[in-house]
Amino acid sequence: MNFKLRYTAIVALFLCVLTSVRAQEGNTAYNFLNVTSSAKVYGLGGVNISLVDDDINVIDQNPALLGPELSNNVALNYMHYLGGSNFAGLRYGHSAGEHGAWAASLQYFGYGSMKETLPDGSIVGSFSPKDVSFGGTYSHDITDRLRGGIALKLLYSGYAEYTAFAVSTDLGINYYDSDRDLSLSAVVANLGGQVKRFNSTYDRLPFDVRLGWSQSFGSFPLRFSITAWNLTKWHLPYTETGDGTSTDDPAVKDTFMSNLFRHLVFGVDLISSPNYYLSLGYNYKTRTDMSTYSRSFISGFSIGGGIRVKNFGVGLAFAQPHSGGTTLMFNLSYNINDLIN
């Protein structure tokens, strides 16, 4: 297959998936798939599919962000999430020729200890629910500016004596113009389904279509990002409960502007030096998902920062979705080229 034909076939296949897959109805499970492993992305609002960066953890947002330039990068991630939840993982990437790359990952999602009860409410013990994701990613350059990628994840869930198994796939494409530092991306996330169910109920994966833009401007040391997600469904109503003092019924918000901004995540990061970064994000959906009297002033905002010394990098990110919950993410990364050469 010649180059032009290969390019046309890949783009056509991706556009076909984008236009033909319809939104899935009903509630979804496996929402841990939407939690990033990258402190840089978490500091930018938690969702960013267009961030071209030397952090291999960003490829969990878009498999097309993987490339030969990330070869022999290994990264550890840890996140203290809401309640007693703790997430951790490991990712490694390697080149596959001059125009391709592959990566492997392992992610663990633990939700702390919970009481195990019978239908009559009597407590019979405790259990620690968990989800585990085994992932593989492959990407390939289509042109000198266009790259496509695919990620496959095998998902195991264990909740007390109940277990389930599922398969998830992400398809991504990225256009990057290094002269203008312009990055445009599209992703079809969480395609797939359960192979083994917990019981007779089928749990859906959180299928999504996402678009992303990131760009800096000349010598200005800031890069701006906007990510549109949850694009399989326009209406994302939320309930505004007030400050808890009113006796009126909660108001349902479903206006054009509220729906628009609940689809968008905004981010800005400082890129004046390759040795450090600072990032700030705003996720309006996260803020509005929290009832007014249970969220803090900074709900929806996130902040991150990191440093790099030679081949070693450290990243941190912080967010407080509501007044009773603080989240913290920590990344360690290292390029092992010096160890193997």
Side-chain angles (χ1 to χ4, degrees), residues 272-285:
S272 56
S273 170
N275 298 321
Y276 63 85
Y277 74 88
L278 292 172
S279 59
L280 178 67
Y282 181 65
N283 189 323
Y284 183 68
K285 186 176 185 299

Side-chain angles (χ1 to χ4, degrees), residues 36-41 55 57-58 75-79 277 307 312-317 329-333:
T36 181
S37 62
S38 168
K40 182 170 286 188
V41 170
D55 174 14
N57 278 322
V58 303
L76 295 168
N77 64 82
Y78 168 77
M79 184 180 195
Y277 74 88
I307 60 173
F312 183 76
V314 179
L316 291 169
M329 177 170 282
F330 176 67
N331 282 175
L332 284 176
S333 62

Side-chain angles (χ1 to χ4, degrees), residues 123-136:
I123 300 174
V124 295
S126 63
F127 68 102
S128 299
K130 59 185 176 295
D131 294 299
V132 182
S133 171
F134 305 89

Side-chain angles (χ1 to χ4, degrees), residues 299-318:
S299 291
F301 289 95
S302 57
I303 186 170
I307 60 173
R308 177 170 290 277
V309 180
K310 295 185 178 179
N311 290 346
F312 183 76
V314 179
L316 291 169
F318 166 86

Side-chain angles (χ1 to χ4, degrees), residues 83-98:
S85 299
N86 292 278
F87 307 156
L90 172 68
R91 179 172 279 106
Y92 172 76
H94 198 279
S95 61
E98 294 183 3

Side-chain angles (χ1 to χ4, degrees), residues 134-204:
F134 305 89
T137 303
Y138 178 76
S139 70
H140 195 86
D141 294 336
I142 303 171
T143 70
D144 58 344
R145 293 184 176 180
L146 193 66
R147 177 180 291 166
I150 182 171
L152 178 67
K153 304 168 191 175
L154 307 179
L155 311 173
Y156 168 81
S157 301
Y159 301 164
E161 68 270 24
Y162 300 97
T163 61
F165 184 78
V167 178
S168 175
T169 302
D170 297 339
L171 300 174
I173 197 165
N174 173 256
Y175 170 87
Y176 181 61
D177 182 350
S178 59
D179 295 334
R180 294 189 293 161
D181 193 27
L182 168 65
S183 176
L184 301 171
S185 289
V187 170
V188 177
N190 307 323
L191 283 164
Q194 281 187 313
V195 178
K196 177 183 181 297
R197 308 178 186 183
F198 286 111
N199 48 37
S200 59
T201 302
Y202 180 82
D203 293 320
R204 302 179 187 274

